[in-house]
Amino acid sequence: MQLKFANDNIGFGTNILDVKVPEHLRRRIPSNVKFLDDALGGYGFTPSTITLFTGEAGSGKTTLSLLMADSMSKDSLVIFNTGEESLHQVKMTAERLKLKNGFAAGQETHIPTFLEKVDKLRAANPDKKDCVIIIDSLQCMDDGKMANGEVNSKTPYRVLEKLASYAKQTFATIIVIGQVNKNGEMAGSNKLKHAVDVKLHLGLVTSPKSPWMGARFFKTEKNRFGSAGHMFYLGIDSDGFTELDRETAAM
């Protein structure tokens, strides 16, 4: 597959009113998870974008990601790549969630190699117009800069840069899961947030004073292609999530 930026043919200094947007970019790819699509503005993901999806340990990030992958695979080529768990563990979670459609799965942590494998899968599935890539998780990925496979504090940012470039080149939709600490923060969080188009967060309601104590909250912290500031309160059980209530804050 030959990679090419969607705007390579636009000359520097072109009047912005003369720029023609590819019709593919005007589409949206629904997750078919109602509260998630609503959080993105009501229609789903925009092709060619990269989303950073963070959450505290035990909040249900992987559960939501697998539900989304299964639902989106009805119409798109979905690739779920895990560095967090074995594929046997992912399969057991898929059984618990009673997933019906399935999706392509992998365990590649070297990003350049991973993207080569993605290209081969896309070439083998020409009938799938859209490609959705879900990576679990950012902290497990190696951008390939160090020949010996070592990583450092800048590796997550370089990983996001490579993935964002691939998304822009190929119109792929990429969702990257990230881990945070008890305060909801991750190392380099502000820089990482600026490297992506969308930032979503799933957390635990821990305040005894909250009527939603024990529930999950899901919020849109950034969205270049829609509104942000949406907050959803969710219940979770063995079958997945149930929307309890929502809030909208001006941002």
Side-chain angles (χ1 to χ4, degrees):
M1 178 182 296
Q2 183 177 4
L3 304 183
K4 185 176 182 180
F5 282 102
N7 61 352
D8 274 351
N9 296 324
I10 302 174
F12 182 83
T14 299
N15 188 317
I16 192 63
L17 300 181
D18 294 329
V19 174
K20 295 182 179 180
V21 178
E23 285 303 314
H24 195 73
L25 295 186
R26 297 189 185 278
R27 300 173 56 249
R28 293 294 183 269
I29 305 173
S31 70
N32 300 312
V33 177
K34 189 177 187 308
F35 70 83
L36 177 52
D37 287 335
D38 288 347
L40 293 168
Y43 303 101
F45 293 93
T46 301
S48 84
T49 59
I50 181 167
T51 296
L52 179 59
F53 174 28
T54 60
E56 301 151 44
S59 60
K61 300 180 301 299
T62 300
T63 293
L64 179 54
S65 298
L66 291 174
L67 290 168
M68 178 173 58
D70 189 61
S71 181
M72 297 177 80
S73 66
K74 289 186 291 186
D75 303 307
S76 305
L77 171 63
V78 178
I79 303 165
F80 184 90
N81 185 72
T82 176
E84 287 279 339
E85 301 176 328
S86 72
L87 293 182
H88 294 129
Q89 290 173 306
V90 174
K91 172 63 186 302
M92 287 190 291
T93 303
E95 291 175 346
R96 173 175 60 81
L97 295 173
K98 301 180 179 65
L99 302 188
K100 298 178 180 178
N101 302 305
F103 44 80
Q107 283 186 292
E108 179 58 66
T109 59
H110 185 255
I111 290 297
T113 302
F114 170 69
L115 294 178
E116 289 177 2
K117 292 180 178 179
V118 169
D119 283 340
K120 291 179 180 178
L121 269 179
R122 297 181 73 178
N125 293 272
D127 56 315
K128 297 288 188 179
K129 183 185 299 184
D130 296 309
C131 177
V132 178
I133 299 168
I134 302 174
I135 296 176
D136 186 11
S137 67
L138 177 60
Q139 284 80 2
C140 296
M141 297 299 118
D142 168 19
D143 68 307
K145 183 176 178 63
M146 312 290 189
N148 58 3
E150 289 186 1
V151 298
N152 56 34
S153 61
K154 296 181 180 179
T155 300
Y157 184 76
R158 293 195 299 264
V159 167
L160 288 181
E161 281 189 319
K162 283 186 177 294
L163 294 173
S165 177
Y166 183 86
K168 300 297 182 289
Q169 290 171 338
T170 67
F171 296 154
T173 300
I174 302 179
I175 301 109
V176 184
I177 300 172
Q179 304 284 353
V180 299
N181 59 28
K182 293 181 180 179
N183 296 320
E185 298 294 332
M186 63 189 300
S189 58
N190 286 332
K191 188 174 183 180
L192 296 175
K193 184 176 178 180
H194 289 305
V196 299
D197 301 300
V198 180
K199 171 70 164 57
L200 303 172
H201 183 76
L202 182 66
L204 304 166
V205 181
T206 57
S207 172
K209 297 180 180 180
S210 172
W212 307 112
M213 172 67 176
R216 271 59 172 173
F217 67 87
F218 182 76
K219 62 181 178 179
T220 314
E221 296 182 343
K222 175 183 179 180
N223 188 1
R224 284 186 176 143
F225 296 91
S227 58
H230 301 289
M231 176 86 82
F232 301 80
Y233 291 99
L234 308 168
I236 185 171
D237 57 27
S238 60
D239 294 327
F241 293 89
T242 302
E243 185 177 333
L244 303 175
D245 197 6
R246 67 178 68 184
E247 296 176 0
T248 302
M251 294 186 67

mmCIF file of all heavy atoms in Angstrom, residues 156-183:
data_model
loop_
_atom_site.group_PDB
_atom_site.id
_atom_site.type_symbol
_atom_site.label_atom_id
_atom_site.label_comp_id
_atom_site.label_asym_id
_atom_site.label_seq_id
_atom_site.Cartn_x
_atom_site.Cartn_y
_atom_site.Cartn_z
ATOM 1 N N PRO A 156 6.370 7.446 24.491
ATOM 2 C CA PRO A 156 4.930 7.549 24.219
ATOM 3 C C PRO A 156 4.584 8.665 23.247
ATOM 4 O O PRO A 156 3.713 8.501 22.378
ATOM 5 C CB PRO A 156 4.333 7.807 25.608
ATOM 6 C CG PRO A 156 5.303 7.187 26.542
ATOM 7 C CD PRO A 156 6.651 7.455 25.937
ATOM 8 N N TYR A 157 5.262 9.797 23.368
ATOM 9 C CA TYR A 157 4.994 10.914 22.460
ATOM 10 C C TYR A 157 5.395 10.552 21.031
ATOM 11 O O TYR A 157 4.660 10.838 20.074
ATOM 12 C CB TYR A 157 5.735 12.165 22.920
ATOM 13 C CG TYR A 157 5.426 13.384 22.091
ATOM 14 C CD1 TYR A 157 4.221 14.071 22.227
ATOM 15 C CD2 TYR A 157 6.339 13.843 21.138
ATOM 16 C CE1 TYR A 157 3.932 15.179 21.453
ATOM 17 C CE2 TYR A 157 6.065 14.952 20.365
ATOM 18 C CZ TYR A 157 4.862 15.623 20.527
ATOM 19 O OH TYR A 157 4.577 16.715 19.747
ATOM 20 N N ARG A 158 6.566 9.911 20.874
ATOM 21 C CA ARG A 158 7.005 9.521 19.535
ATOM 22 C C ARG A 158 6.074 8.469 18.935
ATOM 23 O O ARG A 158 5.819 8.473 17.723
ATOM 24 C CB ARG A 158 8.446 8.996 19.579
ATOM 25 C CG ARG A 158 9.482 10.052 19.939
ATOM 26 C CD ARG A 158 10.888 9.567 19.607
ATOM 27 N NE ARG A 158 11.236 8.366 20.341
ATOM 28 C CZ ARG A 158 11.916 8.344 21.480
ATOM 29 N NH1 ARG A 158 12.313 9.482 22.035
ATOM 30 N NH2 ARG A 158 12.213 7.198 22.071
ATOM 31 N N VAL A 159 5.558 7.574 19.785
ATOM 32 C CA VAL A 159 4.586 6.574 19.315
ATOM 33 C C VAL A 159 3.350 7.278 18.765
ATOM 34 O O VAL A 159 2.862 6.955 17.664
ATOM 35 C CB VAL A 159 4.197 5.612 20.461
ATOM 36 C CG1 VAL A 159 2.955 4.795 20.076
ATOM 37 C CG2 VAL A 159 5.351 4.686 20.790
ATOM 38 N N LEU A 160 2.822 8.247 19.511
ATOM 39 C CA LEU A 160 1.639 8.973 19.051
ATOM 40 C C LEU A 160 1.927 9.739 17.762
ATOM 41 O O LEU A 160 1.061 9.819 16.877
ATOM 42 C CB LEU A 160 1.144 9.930 20.137
ATOM 43 C CG LEU A 160 0.466 9.292 21.349
ATOM 44 C CD1 LEU A 160 0.019 10.374 22.327
ATOM 45 C CD2 LEU A 160 -0.719 8.431 20.935
ATOM 46 N N GLU A 161 3.113 10.298 17.639
ATOM 47 C CA GLU A 161 3.484 11.009 16.407
ATOM 48 C C GLU A 161 3.444 10.075 15.208
ATOM 49 O O GLU A 161 2.904 10.435 14.149
ATOM 50 C CB GLU A 161 4.885 11.621 16.543
ATOM 51 C CG GLU A 161 4.937 12.911 17.331
ATOM 52 C CD GLU A 161 6.300 13.560 17.237
ATOM 53 O OE1 GLU A 161 7.317 12.822 17.297
ATOM 54 O OE2 GLU A 161 6.372 14.793 17.086
ATOM 55 N N LYS A 162 4.024 8.887 15.357
ATOM 56 C CA LYS A 162 4.036 7.927 14.245
ATOM 57 C C LYS A 162 2.624 7.485 13.884
ATOM 58 O O LYS A 162 2.265 7.384 12.703
ATOM 59 C CB LYS A 162 4.889 6.703 14.611
ATOM 60 C CG LYS A 162 6.387 6.927 14.539
ATOM 61 C CD LYS A 162 7.147 5.630 14.770
ATOM 62 C CE LYS A 162 8.646 5.840 14.625
ATOM 63 N NZ LYS A 162 9.041 6.184 13.248
ATOM 64 N N LEU A 163 1.822 7.217 14.893
ATOM 65 C CA LEU A 163 0.448 6.775 14.639
ATOM 66 C C LEU A 163 -0.391 7.885 14.030
ATOM 67 O O LEU A 163 -1.205 7.635 13.134
ATOM 68 C CB LEU A 163 -0.176 6.266 15.935
ATOM 69 C CG LEU A 163 0.443 4.987 16.519
ATOM 70 C CD1 LEU A 163 -0.149 4.698 17.884
ATOM 71 C CD2 LEU A 163 0.223 3.805 15.573
ATOM 72 N N ALA A 164 -0.196 9.111 14.512
ATOM 73 C CA ALA A 164 -0.943 10.242 13.956
ATOM 74 C C ALA A 164 -0.576 10.454 12.492
ATOM 75 O O ALA A 164 -1.439 10.728 11.652
ATOM 76 C CB ALA A 164 -0.668 11.504 14.765
ATOM 77 N N SER A 165 0.708 10.312 12.175
ATOM 78 C CA SER A 165 1.147 10.454 10.789
ATOM 79 C C SER A 165 0.513 9.378 9.909
ATOM 80 O O SER A 165 0.025 9.657 8.806
ATOM 81 C CB SER A 165 2.676 10.356 10.724
ATOM 82 O OG SER A 165 3.136 10.417 9.387
ATOM 83 N N TYR A 166 0.469 8.147 10.416
ATOM 84 C CA TYR A 166 -0.147 7.055 9.655
ATOM 85 C C TYR A 166 -1.638 7.320 9.440
ATOM 86 O O TYR A 166 -2.165 7.093 8.331
ATOM 87 C CB TYR A 166 0.048 5.736 10.390
ATOM 88 C CG TYR A 166 -0.493 4.545 9.633
ATOM 89 C CD1 TYR A 166 0.279 3.898 8.675
ATOM 90 C CD2 TYR A 166 -1.786 4.078 9.866
ATOM 91 C CE1 TYR A 166 -0.214 2.813 7.972
ATOM 92 C CE2 TYR A 166 -2.285 2.994 9.164
ATOM 93 C CZ TYR A 166 -1.502 2.363 8.218
ATOM 94 O OH TYR A 166 -2.004 1.302 7.500
ATOM 95 N N ALA A 167 -2.305 7.806 10.473
ATOM 96 C CA ALA A 167 -3.736 8.097 10.343
ATOM 97 C C ALA A 167 -3.982 9.142 9.270
ATOM 98 O O ALA A 167 -4.904 9.015 8.454
ATOM 99 C CB ALA A 167 -4.292 8.569 11.686
ATOM 100 N N LYS A 168 -3.161 10.191 9.252
ATOM 101 C CA LYS A 168 -3.345 11.266 8.269
ATOM 102 C C LYS A 168 -3.021 10.781 6.861
ATOM 103 O O LYS A 168 -3.619 11.229 5.879
ATOM 104 C CB LYS A 168 -2.468 12.468 8.631
ATOM 105 C CG LYS A 168 -2.766 13.075 9.998
ATOM 106 C CD LYS A 168 -4.176 13.627 10.084
ATOM 107 C CE LYS A 168 -4.449 14.274 11.427
ATOM 108 N NZ LYS A 168 -4.572 13.313 12.553
ATOM 109 N N GLN A 169 -2.068 9.876 6.746
ATOM 110 C CA GLN A 169 -1.665 9.364 5.441
ATOM 111 C C GLN A 169 -2.704 8.427 4.840
ATOM 112 O O GLN A 169 -2.893 8.402 3.618
ATOM 113 C CB GLN A 169 -0.326 8.621 5.563
ATOM 114 C CG GLN A 169 0.862 9.509 5.829
ATOM 115 C CD GLN A 169 2.108 8.698 6.161
ATOM 116 O OE1 GLN A 169 2.023 7.553 6.587
ATOM 117 N NE2 GLN A 169 3.268 9.288 5.980
ATOM 118 N N THR A 170 -3.351 7.639 5.663
ATOM 119 C CA THR A 170 -4.161 6.535 5.151
ATOM 120 C C THR A 170 -5.646 6.619 5.481
ATOM 121 O O THR A 170 -6.402 5.715 5.124
ATOM 122 C CB THR A 170 -3.637 5.202 5.709
ATOM 123 O OG1 THR A 170 -3.874 5.170 7.126
ATOM 124 C CG2 THR A 170 -2.139 5.051 5.452
ATOM 125 N N PHE A 171 -6.066 7.690 6.177
ATOM 126 C CA PHE A 171 -7.460 7.859 6.602
ATOM 127 C C PHE A 171 -7.883 6.841 7.656
ATOM 128 O O PHE A 171 -9.071 6.676 7.919
ATOM 129 C CB PHE A 171 -8.439 7.790 5.431
ATOM 130 C CG PHE A 171 -8.276 8.890 4.424
ATOM 131 C CD1 PHE A 171 -8.669 8.702 3.104
ATOM 132 C CD2 PHE A 171 -7.743 10.106 4.775
ATOM 133 C CE1 PHE A 171 -8.539 9.718 2.161
ATOM 134 C CE2 PHE A 171 -7.607 11.131 3.837
ATOM 135 C CZ PHE A 171 -7.998 10.936 2.526
ATOM 136 N N ALA A 172 -6.923 6.135 8.265
ATOM 137 C CA ALA A 172 -7.268 5.191 9.326
ATOM 138 C C ALA A 172 -7.744 5.951 10.567
ATOM 139 O O ALA A 172 -7.384 7.107 10.784
ATOM 140 C CB ALA A 172 -6.057 4.337 9.686
ATOM 141 N N THR A 173 -8.564 5.281 11.363
ATOM 142 C CA THR A 173 -9.013 5.831 12.636
ATOM 143 C C THR A 173 -8.305 5.059 13.741
ATOM 144 O O THR A 173 -8.419 3.831 13.812
ATOM 145 C CB THR A 173 -10.537 5.675 12.786
ATOM 146 O OG1 THR A 173 -11.182 6.373 11.716
ATOM 147 C CG2 THR A 173 -11.016 6.235 14.116
ATOM 148 N N ILE A 174 -7.559 5.771 14.592
ATOM 149 C CA ILE A 174 -6.723 5.105 15.585
ATOM 150 C C ILE A 174 -7.124 5.543 16.990
ATOM 151 O O ILE A 174 -7.249 6.737 17.268
ATOM 152 C CB ILE A 174 -5.235 5.403 15.340
ATOM 153 C CG1 ILE A 174 -4.828 4.960 13.919
ATOM 154 C CG2 ILE A 174 -4.370 4.715 16.390
ATOM 155 C CD1 ILE A 174 -3.383 5.234 13.574
ATOM 156 N N ILE A 175 -7.343 4.555 17.858
ATOM 157 C CA ILE A 175 -7.647 4.808 19.269
ATOM 158 C C ILE A 175 -6.559 4.149 20.099
ATOM 159 O O ILE A 175 -6.317 2.938 19.983
ATOM 160 C CB ILE A 175 -9.029 4.239 19.668
ATOM 161 C CG1 ILE A 175 -10.134 4.863 18.812
ATOM 162 C CG2 ILE A 175 -9.312 4.478 21.143
ATOM 163 C CD1 ILE A 175 -10.747 3.914 17.818
ATOM 164 N N VAL A 176 -5.882 4.944 20.932
ATOM 165 C CA VAL A 176 -4.788 4.438 21.763
ATOM 166 C C VAL A 176 -5.182 4.555 23.226
ATOM 167 O O VAL A 176 -5.547 5.636 23.704
ATOM 168 C CB VAL A 176 -3.489 5.236 21.514
ATOM 169 C CG1 VAL A 176 -2.343 4.624 22.317
ATOM 170 C CG2 VAL A 176 -3.141 5.251 20.036
ATOM 171 N N ILE A 177 -5.108 3.432 23.941
ATOM 172 C CA ILE A 177 -5.448 3.410 25.361
ATOM 173 C C ILE A 177 -4.221 3.805 26.178
ATOM 174 O O ILE A 177 -3.101 3.372 25.885
ATOM 175 C CB ILE A 177 -5.925 2.010 25.783
ATOM 176 C CG1 ILE A 177 -7.175 1.616 24.974
ATOM 177 C CG2 ILE A 177 -6.222 1.955 27.272
ATOM 178 C CD1 ILE A 177 -7.609 0.183 25.187
ATOM 179 N N GLY A 178 -4.436 4.639 27.195
ATOM 180 C CA GLY A 178 -3.343 5.076 28.062
ATOM 181 C C GLY A 178 -3.690 4.885 29.527
ATOM 182 O O GLY A 178 -4.844 5.057 29.925
ATOM 183 N N GLN A 179 -2.697 4.536 30.317
ATOM 184 C CA GLN A 179 -2.893 4.340 31.751
ATOM 185 C C GLN A 179 -2.627 5.644 32.500
ATOM 186 O O GLN A 179 -1.756 6.418 32.115
ATOM 187 C CB GLN A 179 -1.935 3.262 32.279
ATOM 188 C CG GLN A 179 -2.042 1.931 31.577
ATOM 189 C CD GLN A 179 -3.267 1.146 32.012
ATOM 190 O OE1 GLN A 179 -3.974 1.530 32.922
ATOM 191 N NE2 GLN A 179 -3.506 0.030 31.350
ATOM 192 N N VAL A 180 -3.364 5.873 33.591
ATOM 193 C CA VAL A 180 -3.125 7.046 34.432
ATOM 194 C C VAL A 180 -2.976 6.605 35.886
ATOM 195 O O VAL A 180 -3.301 5.475 36.254
ATOM 196 C CB VAL A 180 -4.284 8.064 34.327
ATOM 197 C CG1 VAL A 180 -4.430 8.569 32.904
ATOM 198 C CG2 VAL A 180 -5.602 7.443 34.808
ATOM 199 N N ASN A 181 -2.496 7.534 36.731
ATOM 200 C CA ASN A 181 -2.340 7.216 38.149
ATOM 201 C C ASN A 181 -3.640 7.485 38.905
ATOM 202 O O ASN A 181 -4.669 7.794 38.307
ATOM 203 C CB ASN A 181 -1.179 8.022 38.751
ATOM 204 C CG ASN A 181 -1.391 9.533 38.617
ATOM 205 O OD1 ASN A 181 -2.527 10.021 38.576
ATOM 206 N ND2 ASN A 181 -0.302 10.279 38.580
ATOM 207 N N LYS A 182 -3.590 7.388 40.239
ATOM 208 C CA LYS A 182 -4.796 7.548 41.050
ATOM 209 C C LYS A 182 -5.398 8.944 40.941
ATOM 210 O O LYS A 182 -6.583 9.141 41.209
ATOM 211 C CB LYS A 182 -4.485 7.229 42.509
ATOM 212 C CG LYS A 182 -4.152 5.758 42.755
ATOM 213 C CD LYS A 182 -3.877 5.509 44.219
ATOM 214 C CE LYS A 182 -3.548 4.043 44.468
ATOM 215 N NZ LYS A 182 -3.252 3.786 45.899
ATOM 216 N N ASN A 183 -4.569 9.917 40.569
ATOM 217 C CA ASN A 183 -5.055 11.290 40.416
ATOM 218 C C ASN A 183 -5.558 11.575 39.010
ATOM 219 O O ASN A 183 -5.901 12.715 38.683
ATOM 220 C CB ASN A 183 -3.944 12.284 40.774
ATOM 221 C CG ASN A 183 -3.529 12.186 42.225
ATOM 222 O OD1 ASN A 183 -4.377 12.013 43.109
ATOM 223 N ND2 ASN A 183 -2.224 12.275 42.489
#
